[in-house]
Amino acid sequence: MTTMAPDRIVDIRTLPGTRETTAYQGGGLFPILALAPNGDVVAALRGGAGHLGRQARMEVVRTSDAGQSWTPPNPVADGEDDDRDAAFGVSSQGTLVLLYQREHRYDADGNYQGGLRIADPKPIALMATRSLDSGLTWEEPYPLSFESLATASFFGKVVSLDDGTLLASIYNSRSFADEQSGQMSDIAYLIRSLDDGRTWERVSQIAPHRNETALIVLSGGDLLAVQRDDTAQALHSTRSQDGGRTWSPTTQITRARQHPADLVLLSNGDILLTYGNRNPPYRIEGRISRDSGRTWLDCLLTFSGHLYGYTTEESRLTDLGYPSSVVRGNGQAVTMYYYNPSMRLAADSHQAENNPFYSHQNYCAVAVTWQEEELIAAVEDATSGQ
């Protein structure tokens, strides 16, 4: 049985082998980690702007010492408009694959003009690029064609099936109208590539009323997906036994405003789920499953302290989350997340001038390096007899 409010807590930062490092200062939103063939950990993330802004670009940073130090950001995709909303991963052939959205809905002054009709010409382009040398150099980005997903966004890790098929999650916020309310809603989909990430096709639906979806391939080939819902913003899980073509009914894992998910497999077969808790005490949290995601232990892992920012009389927003984790073959692991501790709320997000929502200032990406065996042992101690 899954407890959505576990009372046992393990602070990963207190383990002997854990270290915290600032991997990116002045940006680094929405990081996604991948293990490159040369052994480096590579993070794809957003730089040049905050949540909105035509100056935004897709970048990578990398570490060759398990997260103790990170390279300066290297631009991968920097078009004339807003490059954002990525999925990132490595294929069975060692190719790094980056999928992302290029948002065109800005006016000449850089103000975001979301809400255009789907019929308007090319409000969004879905883009792809690849690296054949562990992320040191990248192909020229090129557009993908998904006519049915005109305003879609990618999310999370690109994963690989045993036969080399690549899978990525994508969601469309304008494709489903609720028959009772008449309002638009989200649908989460899966797309696949049969040619090492060059082209993508075969769209299949995962679930309605879901958006940002984390994927993991389980032993035996089943898929586990953990998704954010489009109302309470809690996490829900679903499974597929046929390569993502059909999915089981969903099961809620977290409470409201605890999202989005990342999944990584540990060497003992456990699954580590991490997410951002946007309720007090505002931190990065994790859960462990020992049965391939069917249930989650009554033990809460924490990867950060309280991230709620500064004490101030005016209304402020604490922006945090989007953790991503990888575990190297030697048991060294990295979890990266971003946050901005104190951001003034803007009256109108469609106006760029003096709007913190467009600024990358005060954002940072933090890398927490930890030892897999220490985490496994700490969870075992906390759940003995459970």
Side-chain angles (χ1 to χ4, degrees), residues 53-58 75-84 100-104 127 140-141:
R54 296 182 67 185
Q55 296 78 19
R57 54 187 175 266
M58 294 305 308
V76 174
D78 189 8
E80 294 182 356
D81 278 324
D82 182 355
D83 294 319
R84 58 183 303 117
Y100 65 97
Q101 179 202 83
R102 179 164 289 169
E103 170 67 76
H104 295 303
M127 307 291 293
E140 183 69 23

Side-chain angles (χ1 to χ4, degrees), residues 204-368:
S204 57
Q205 180 176 312
I206 304 176
H209 296 288
R210 303 287 186 264
N211 44 56
E212 295 167 325
T213 300
L215 301 170
I216 192 170
V217 181
L218 305 172
S219 58
D222 287 1
L223 285 169
L224 174 67
V226 176
Q227 308 173 291
R228 169 183 174 179
D229 69 53
D230 61 4
T231 52
Q233 302 180 50
L235 294 179
H236 305 252
S237 65
T238 179
R239 298 169 62 89
S240 174
Q241 297 179 315
D242 57 7
R245 292 169 180 82
T246 61
W247 295 85
S248 68
T250 59
T251 300
Q252 187 170 344
I253 300 174
T254 67
R255 294 180 295 174
R257 293 180 55 79
Q258 295 179 333
H259 66 83
D262 177 73
L263 299 165
V264 67
L265 186 66
L266 304 182
S267 62
N268 67 346
D270 290 355
I271 296 174
L272 169 63
L273 160 70
T274 53
Y275 57 88
N277 186 357
R278 294 157 187 263
N279 309 298
Y282 303 98
R283 63 190 176 191
I284 307 303
E285 298 178 349
R287 303 291 298 274
I288 291 288
S289 174
R290 290 177 173 163
D291 57 6
S292 298
R294 293 178 178 87
T295 63
W296 300 85
L297 297 181
D298 184 17
C299 177
L300 184 70
L301 311 182
T302 61
F303 290 81
S304 76
H306 298 186
L307 299 177
Y308 186 75
Y310 318 127
T311 299
T312 175
E313 294 181 358
E314 61 182 299
S315 177
R316 295 284 181 107
L317 172 67
T318 298
D319 189 17
L320 64 93
Y322 289 77
S324 182
S325 301
V326 293
V327 181
R328 303 173 72 195
N330 61 2
Q332 294 176 320
V334 181
T335 297
M336 184 181 289
Y337 63 91
Y338 86 91
Y339 83 107
N340 183 336
S342 188
M343 186 168 67
R344 291 179 176 86
L345 293 173
D348 183 1
S349 63
H350 291 79
Q351 295 298 316
E353 186 176 0
N354 298 320
N355 189 338
F357 221 52
Y358 289 69
S359 174
H360 55 83
Q361 301 299 322
N362 299 322
Y363 278 100
C364 65
V366 176
V368 181

Side-chain angles (χ1 to χ4, degrees), residues 55-244:
Q55 296 78 19
R57 54 187 175 266
M58 294 305 308
E59 301 176 332
V60 295
V61 297
R62 62 195 309 117
T63 177
S64 57
D65 55 12
Q68 299 300 308
S69 62
W70 295 82
T71 64
N74 176 38
V76 174
D78 189 8
E80 294 182 356
D81 278 324
D82 182 355
D83 294 319
R84 58 183 303 117
D85 295 350
F88 180 53
V90 59
S91 76
S92 59
Q93 299 182 41
T95 302
L96 293 183
V97 179
L98 177 67
L99 311 176
Y100 65 97
Q101 179 202 83
R102 179 164 289 169
E103 170 67 76
H104 295 303
R105 292 176 293 182
Y106 289 85
D107 65 18
D109 296 322
N111 301 309
Y112 178 59
Q113 301 294 297
L116 296 180
R117 300 184 308 277
I118 292 179
D120 290 337
K122 297 182 179 179
I124 286 173
L126 300 180
M127 307 291 293
T129 181
R130 305 184 310 152
S131 173
L132 305 180
D133 57 6
S134 294
L136 297 174
T137 62
W138 293 81
E139 298 173 341
E140 183 69 23
Y142 54 92
L144 303 174
S145 178
F146 290 104
E147 296 300 329
S148 62
L149 302 176
T151 56
S153 296
F154 296 106
F155 178 80
K157 291 172 179 170
V158 174
V159 301
S160 180
L161 298 178
D162 290 343
D163 65 0
T165 299
L166 294 178
L167 305 176
S169 70
I170 189 169
Y171 66 94
N172 195 342
S173 297
R174 302 180 63 83
S175 62
F176 178 79
D178 187 289
E179 294 181 357
Q180 294 181 350
S181 67
Q183 296 179 349
M184 304 305 288
S185 182
D186 296 340
I187 293 184
Y189 297 94
L190 193 70
I191 59 172
R192 61 192 67 232
S193 173
L194 306 180
D195 57 5
D196 202 41
R198 294 179 183 87
T199 61
W200 293 81
E201 55 186 17
R202 300 187 183 182
V203 178
S204 57
Q205 180 176 312
I206 304 176
H209 296 288
R210 303 287 186 264
N211 44 56
E212 295 167 325
T213 300
L215 301 170
I216 192 170
V217 181
L218 305 172
S219 58
D222 287 1
L223 285 169
L224 174 67
V226 176
Q227 308 173 291
R228 169 183 174 179
D229 69 53
D230 61 4
T231 52
Q233 302 180 50
L235 294 179
H236 305 252
S237 65
T238 179
R239 298 169 62 89
S240 174
Q241 297 179 315
D242 57 7

